């Protein structure tokens, strides 16, 4: 079952009031990244984890993988194309697509690979 806003629902209090994301227990266990080159600069990342608070944690894991992959391939930037997130049996799975490039790509969801990888390390999120 695809989750876009379901992570928010999972954080809702029983009385209908929402619970702040930083007040939800966060004990991530990163299960790995599967990377697949789709076409030229288009790359698919499939990530899995348990202990996520919501879809944002899965998105961050995929972004960290994309940033490291870009650096490994000798590129400095990536642009987010799309991410879908599912949860089943307590395992969160993300299926993300990014483009990688040597120059800052056009678009709103661009990332500087070096800055992102550094941030991932600071936050304890593994990369490829």
């Amino acid at each position: 079952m695809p989750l876009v806003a379901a992570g928010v629902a999972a954080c809702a209090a029983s009385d209908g009031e929402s619970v702040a994301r930083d007040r939800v227990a966060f004990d991530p266990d990163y299960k790995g990244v599967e990377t697949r080159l789709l076409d030229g600069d288009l790359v698919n990342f499939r990530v899995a984890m348990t202990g996520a608070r919501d879809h944002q944690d899965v998105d961050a894991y995929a972004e960290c993988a994309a940033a490291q992959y870009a650096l490994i391939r000798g590129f400095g930037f990536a642009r987010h194309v799309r991410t879908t997130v599912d949860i089943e049996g307590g395992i969160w799975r993300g299926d993300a697509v990014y483009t990688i490039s040597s120059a800052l790509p056009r678009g709103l969801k661009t990332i500087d690979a070096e800055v992102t990888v550094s941030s991932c390390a600071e936050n304890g999120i593994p990369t490829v």
Side-chain angles (χ1 to χ4, degrees):
M1 70 177 144
L3 294 180
V4 174
V8 175
C11 298
S14 60
D15 64 0
E17 292 182 29
S18 63
V19 175
R21 185 173 192 274
D22 62 348
R23 295 186 59 199
V24 176
F26 185 50
D27 185 24
D29 184 11
Y30 300 98
K31 301 292 188 184
V33 177
E34 182 182 314
T35 304
R36 195 168 40 142
L37 184 61
L38 298 175
D39 182 40
D41 64 350
L42 197 62
V43 186
N44 176 234
F45 301 91
R46 292 183 180 173
V47 298
M49 68 183 293
T50 58
R53 293 167 289 201
D54 57 31
H55 70 89
Q56 291 177 35
D57 292 326
V58 182
D59 289 338
Y61 187 22
E63 183 174 285
C64 290
Q68 183 64 53
Y69 182 87
L71 292 178
I72 289 169
R73 293 290 193 171
F75 296 100
F77 300 93
R79 181 178 58 85
H80 179 254
V81 176
R82 65 122 178 106
T83 301
T84 58
V85 176
D86 295 322
I87 183 172
E88 185 176 325
I91 300 174
W92 292 79
R93 298 185 191 281
D95 184 350
V97 175
Y98 283 81
T99 60
I100 57 172
S101 62
S102 56
L104 183 63
R106 295 178 67 187
L108 299 175
K109 296 183 179 182
T110 60
I111 60 173
D112 179 313
E114 285 188 29
V115 171
T116 300
V117 167
S118 177
S119 177
C120 295
E122 289 174 13
N123 291 302
I125 303 172
T127 58
V128 176

